[in-house]
Amino acid sequence: MDTRPIGVFDSGVGGIGTLAALTKELPNEHFLYFGDTLHSPYGTKTTEEVQLLVRDVVAHMEQSQIKALVIACNTATGAAAAMLRAEKTYPVIGMEPALKPAEEHWQGGRILVMATPLTLRQEKFFSLMERFGAHAVPLPCPGLMELVEQEDDIGAQKYLEDLFSGWQLDKVDAVVLGCTHYVFLKPMIRQMLPERILITDGNAGTARQLKRVLTDKELLSDSLTGYVEMETSGDPDIVLPVMHKLFVKGLEIE
Ligand code: DGL
């Protein structure tokens, strides 16, 4: 039994939805969340730039003696998960676009994979496409995470309308939210798409994976109540209230 914290990070507020899913699955754990707001977005940077940023974030989290790390960011996972796993002795859990359940739902149409440009350029994504991407179409969404960070719902609605207007929706079977920021737009996207289109994301799967790993390695906490701490490299007066609000919203998103 181990009461040390679990580190969770993203380029900004996107991973807060993942964090909400983690607390639902593991209510006795102590989570430490870091949003690298000052250096966001990651998705329009190079792999090398993101690796350097991730190193700094992780070094900061290690000062709190984390027992495991969750990369609550598809982009940082693609760019830096393998690097971290090669270096660290604690478990590193990453995220990837939830293509498998989308492909299982395939009914003859297309599967749209929304993600950042950098996620879609990674070797990791190519290998995912080889396994589950027979009907998938990558859809880079530069600029969309910023609208979530700014809580710009009108801008996001417009962005998504433009994005989906290029597709015949009766020929789309699933939409994969391959960036943790986009999960906060799920209720909006659900309203825009026909009911039969499945929308997938990786939050619940990541939470189950973390639980499996902690159980296997006997790292679960036995404390009676868990808790969450949040930090940002941006202006805490601006970012922390948004994080708190999104955490509550994240708890409600299925
Ligand atoms: N939330 C991140 C992801 O899951 C990316 C956002 C960014 O571009 O920084 O990919």
Side-chain angles (χ1 to χ4, degrees):
M1 291 294 165
D2 194 326
T3 55
R4 287 176 298 162
I6 297 162
V8 183
F9 79 94
D10 176 42
S11 59
V13 299
I16 290 285
T18 316
L19 178 69
L22 299 177
T23 62
K24 279 200 228 170
E25 190 74 32
L26 293 156
N28 302 326
E29 299 293 334
H30 170 192
F31 292 99
L32 212 58
Y33 183 86
F34 188 89
D36 196 8
T37 318
L38 184 65
H39 304 109
S40 76
Y42 282 0
T44 45
K45 292 186 166 61
T46 65
T47 300
E48 293 71 25
E49 284 170 330
V50 172
Q51 286 177 341
L52 284 175
L53 292 169
V54 166
R55 274 192 198 287
D56 284 350
V57 171
V58 172
H60 173 71
M61 302 206 104
E62 284 174 350
Q63 289 172 8
S64 303
Q65 320 299 329
I66 53 171
K67 63 179 174 182
L69 180 72
V70 178
I71 311 176
C73 176
N74 297 261
T75 310
T77 299
M83 171 189 90
L84 292 176
R85 288 197 182 109
E87 292 171 4
K88 308 299 178 189
T89 50
Y90 51 76
V92 175
I93 314 298
M95 297 191 73
E96 61 184 15
L99 235 69
K100 186 169 181 244
E103 178 60 26
E104 283 165 1
H105 177 78
W106 180 70
Q107 286 153 14
R110 304 242 185 213
I111 291 163
L112 306 182
V113 187
M114 295 169 60
T116 69
L118 184 56
T119 294
L120 300 175
R121 282 204 308 275
Q122 295 292 329
E123 203 52 56
K124 195 171 181 350
F125 182 71
F126 300 150
S127 100
L128 187 66
M129 282 291 275
E130 266 169 36
R131 282 177 292 147
F132 306 113
H135 311 100
V137 186
L139 232 53
C141 297
L144 187 53
M145 78 77 86
E146 287 88 332
L147 299 174
V148 176
E149 290 281 325
Q150 295 153 12
E151 300 181 282
D152 181 355
D153 284 353
I154 295 169
Q157 176 93 28
K158 172 94 187 53
Y159 189 113
L160 293 166
E161 277 165 9
D162 286 352
L163 187 76
F164 295 131
S165 70
W167 297 92
Q168 272 179 277
L169 293 179
D170 58 335
K171 296 203 170 63
V172 172
D173 290 334
V175 171
V176 178
L177 305 179
C179 166
T180 50
H181 281 79
Y182 308 164
V183 183
F184 286 113
L185 301 173
K186 195 169 174 180
M188 187 185 282
I189 295 174
R190 186 68 281 170
Q191 293 277 310
M192 298 170 74
L193 300 178
E195 199 55 46
R196 46 165 288 278
I197 298 185
L198 179 73
I199 304 173
T200 70
D201 70 79
N203 283 349
T206 302
R208 287 193 297 270
Q209 173 66 4
L210 175 63
K211 188 174 186 176
R212 260 194 302 271
V213 171
L214 293 182
T215 307
D216 283 357
K217 299 196 179 294
E218 300 185 1
L219 287 172
L220 285 167
S221 168
D222 57 353
S223 88
L224 287 179
T225 49
Y227 63 107
V228 166
E229 291 173 276
M230 297 177 193
E231 267 192 294
T232 171
S233 57
D235 181 344
D237 291 340
I238 296 173
V239 183
L240 289 182
V242 179
M243 284 182 172
H244 289 137
K245 207 192 305 173
L246 288 179
F247 183 73
V248 175
K249 200 170 171 184
L251 289 173
E252 288 161 5
I253 295 176
E254 284 304 319

